[in-house]
Amino acid sequence: MSKSKRLMELMMTVNRKRKFTVKELAGEFGVSPRTILRDLQELSELGVPLYSEVGPHGGYQVLNERVLPPIAFTEDEAVSIFFASHALRHYHFLPFETEASSALSKFYHYMSGDVRDRIDQMKNRVDFVTPERQSAFPYLAVLLDGAIRQKVIRIGYASRSGATTTRHIQPLGIYASRGLWYCPAYCFEREDFRLFRCDRIGSAVIEEADSAPKPLDLRHVHLSNWESFIDRKPIYVNCTIELTPLGIEACEGEMLRHFRLELREDGSGLLWGQIPPGEIPFLADFFIGLGREATVTEPPELISAIKHKLTELLDKYS
């Protein structure tokens, strides 16, 4: 085996192992311990973060900041990966903001000149627009870490009225929608699953105190199925909205939860589903914004909320 191939396979091997000894690697690669020591020194100089321990139970291990082995991409694969990451620039807050910027710069730097030229030409030709938000989301990394490691997090959470309460939550993950970040989590104070807006989280600390709630085993609960595990499901009411073709376009772009869309041959459609009463104020504002493109036929509570808001607007501008 050539030295370059051995170094490549050695890099992949040490990245897979949590701990290893020179003797083990020497036997695995069929070379002397002295040769393995030289190879490990070269890997260290290439950026593989190796840590050595002396003593009878000593050996080597790779620190958490592991360096991935080289991966061969085609030109089109490299360009698509670059722009997938480049699209995240519209989000001013990410759970891996610094790392994403560093990876993108490194990725671009090591591309060949002609591929960089192609990317430079495409930067002003391709974009993935995300609504600009003034809200701050400083605790995304903490929430994501808590979800992955199944940890309880103590947060300060502000309600719509502005009152702040302390909650102990176990996050299930985070997701972005229309420029905002959300975190479904189990709330120990409410003893049920809840959805938290991340810009309303004023503090977030992983709870290590003995008095803190013990983490639950929520490995089977994730972003795709968490709502089915809600114990205290709210009372739902039927909701139906007639839509013009322009109304359909607006609703598709908003991806409204709880609804299904039926299209007709003339381009109009029917939006229907069941909604919790707590969403009526939001839906009233949304369908008022659609004007003549949407007509709510039920529930009466939503129709009343729309009339009330329109009356307030008329009074404001009278």
Side-chain angles (χ1 to χ4, degrees):
M1 181 187 299
S2 66
K3 180 180 178 180
S4 59
K5 185 177 180 180
R6 187 176 70 247
L7 285 175
M8 182 76 69
E9 293 193 7
L10 183 61
M11 179 185 291
M12 292 187 286
T13 298
V14 300
N15 269 289
R16 286 196 305 268
K17 295 177 179 287
R18 293 185 60 86
K19 194 172 182 180
F20 53 89
T21 65
V22 170
K23 185 177 180 180
E24 290 172 353
L25 292 179
E28 187 172 340
F29 284 87
V31 295
S32 68
R34 181 176 296 180
T35 299
I36 288 294
L37 283 172
R38 287 199 300 266
D39 290 346
L40 291 176
Q41 179 63 33
E42 290 195 37
L43 290 185
S44 181
E45 293 172 356
L46 289 172
V48 178
L50 295 172
Y51 171 75
S52 63
E53 296 178 334
V54 297
H57 301 290
Y60 284 83
Q61 67 183 53
V62 181
L63 300 180
N64 288 336
E65 296 80 13
R66 300 184 181 188
V67 175
L68 296 178
I71 302 173
F73 293 108
T74 66
E75 179 178 327
D76 287 338
E77 287 172 340
V79 171
S80 65
I81 291 174
F82 179 89
F83 278 99
S85 299
H86 186 61
L88 296 176
R89 73 191 186 283
H90 292 297
Y91 284 94
H92 298 303
F93 291 88
L94 293 168
F96 34 76
E97 185 173 359
T98 303
E99 294 83 355
S101 176
S102 173
L104 198 61
S105 298
K106 189 180 297 184
F107 202 63
Y108 180 82
H109 177 74
Y110 284 102
M111 288 182 182
S112 61
D114 60 324
V115 177
R116 286 203 301 270
D117 291 342
R118 180 182 175 189
I119 287 176
D120 291 339
Q121 291 296 322
M122 291 178 66
K123 278 183 179 179
N124 295 324
R125 310 290 182 180
V126 178
D127 203 358
F128 304 86
V129 177
T130 302
E132 291 285 343
R133 297 286 186 176
Q134 301 302 315
S135 302
F137 308 89
Y139 300 106
L140 296 179
V142 177
L143 296 171
L144 181 58
D145 184 49
I148 294 172
R149 297 168 55 204
Q150 298 274 289
K151 292 290 186 179
V152 176
I153 297 178
R154 184 179 72 254
I155 65 171
Y157 192 70
S159 65
R160 289 183 180 179
S161 64
T164 300
T165 59
T166 298
R167 305 279 194 97
H168 292 83
I169 67 171
Q170 187 170 333
L172 304 174
I174 56 175
Y175 69 88
S177 177
R178 301 191 298 274
L180 295 173
W181 284 91
Y182 297 86
C183 176
Y186 184 84
C187 177
F188 288 88
E189 279 70 28
R190 301 295 184 267
E191 297 183 337
D192 207 349
F193 293 95
R194 290 290 186 269
L195 181 63
F196 296 91
R197 257 183 56 170
C198 297
D199 56 322
R200 293 180 181 166
I201 297 177
S203 62
V205 179
I206 292 181
E207 191 66 271
E208 302 289 356
D210 294 337
S211 59
K214 300 301 180 185
L216 305 175
D217 184 2
L218 300 179
R219 288 173 294 181
H220 60 295
V221 187
H222 45 77
L223 296 181
S224 300
N225 66 3
W226 73 273
E227 289 184 288
S228 65
F229 289 91
I230 297 176
D231 289 331
R232 297 175 177 84
K233 293 181 173 62
I235 299 174
Y236 289 86
V237 295
N238 293 327
C239 187
T240 308
I241 304 96
E242 291 283 347
L243 296 172
T244 66
L246 290 178
I248 289 174
E249 290 182 13
C251 289
E252 286 178 332
E254 290 295 327
M255 297 182 295
L256 296 175
R257 299 193 308 158
H258 309 300
F259 285 100
R260 292 186 179 182
L261 181 62
E262 293 182 1
L263 299 177
R264 303 190 181 100
E265 292 184 359
D266 63 356
S268 64
L270 183 69
L271 192 68
W272 62 274
Q274 291 188 319
I275 62 169
E279 292 195 6
I280 285 179
F282 164 77
L283 292 173
D285 287 331
F286 177 77
F287 290 119
I288 285 174
L290 294 185
R292 297 179 180 273
E293 312 305 329
T295 303
V296 177
T297 58
E298 63 173 342
E301 297 89 345
L302 179 54
I303 297 173
S304 296
I306 291 174
K307 290 179 178 180
H308 179 71
K309 288 178 179 289
L310 289 174
T311 300
E312 288 182 333
L313 284 173
L314 286 171
D315 291 340
K316 181 177 180 179
Y317 291 102
S318 61

